[in-house]
Amino acid sequence: MKKLLIAMLLVATAATAAQAALKVVGKGEAMRLDPSSFPPAMKANYEIFRVKCVKCHSLERTIVAIQTGIAPISDQPFDHNATKAYGLKMLRKPGSAMTKADVKATVELMDFLLTQAGR
Ligand code: HEC
């Protein structure tokens, strides 16, 4: 009985973990997300993110921040309260070639991804 209970708990935990995970494809510089299960609005936002947020560094930086909840360079919290500030910080980088609308879209996406990652 105890064994069965433990087995059931393990299955429940695994199911929650799978639900809370991002679908990451590739490693390192080539790391990206699989947006196939995203709602249409987030698919559109992901396209902007995929094109605009790789000019100076790869998507890995943002994906790691979302997965860990920690911004990898500054070691600061990366949560729902921080996404807008990071978006604006990137907009202000010299040569960012982003519009405010691009930043709004990527901030929405980062918030969506944080929720997907269980944060
Ligand atoms: C014009 C160049 C440039 C563009 C475009 C750019 N970034 Fe960055 N990004 C940087 C630089 C430089 C750093 C490291 C220094 C810093 O955080 O200021 C950085 C750092 C980061 C970090 C880590 C921050 C930390 O504190 O650890 C994240 C997350 C991030 N960028 C996300 C994004 C997202 C999302 C986009 C698209 C909206 C984007 N970046 C577009 C230059 C850019």
Side-chain angles (χ1 to χ4, degrees), residues 33-101:
L33 297 173
D34 172 7
S36 56
S37 65
F38 294 180
M42 290 304 150
K43 275 188 185 150
N45 289 348
Y46 181 79
E47 271 311 293
I48 295 168
F49 171 69
R50 192 181 63 80
V51 173
K52 299 279 178 166
C53 300
V54 295
K55 198 179 171 219
C56 312
H57 52 74
S58 69
L59 296 182
E60 183 185 23
R61 203 171 272 187
T62 312
I63 295 172
V64 165
I66 288 163
Q67 282 180 320
T68 60
I70 307 283
I73 312 283
S74 62
D75 220 20
Q76 293 299 303
F78 194 92
D79 55 21
H80 289 278
N81 296 320
T83 48
K84 195 174 175 194
Y86 281 110
L88 290 174
K89 191 178 186 188
M90 298 304 140
L91 171 71
R92 292 189 194 116
K93 297 265 179 220
S96 75
M98 283 192 284
T99 63
K100 279 190 176 167

Side-chain angles (χ1 to χ4, degrees), residues 4-8 10 12 14 17 20 22 25 29 32-33 41 50 54-55 63 76 79-80 83 89 105 110-111:
L4 183 68
L5 209 70
I6 291 170
M8 279 166 70
L10 281 175
L22 296 181
V25 185
E29 290 290 297
R32 59 194 193 281
L33 297 173
R50 192 181 63 80
V54 295
K55 198 179 171 219
I63 295 172
Q76 293 299 303
D79 55 21
H80 289 278
T83 48
K89 191 178 186 188
M110 290 190 283
D111 279 323

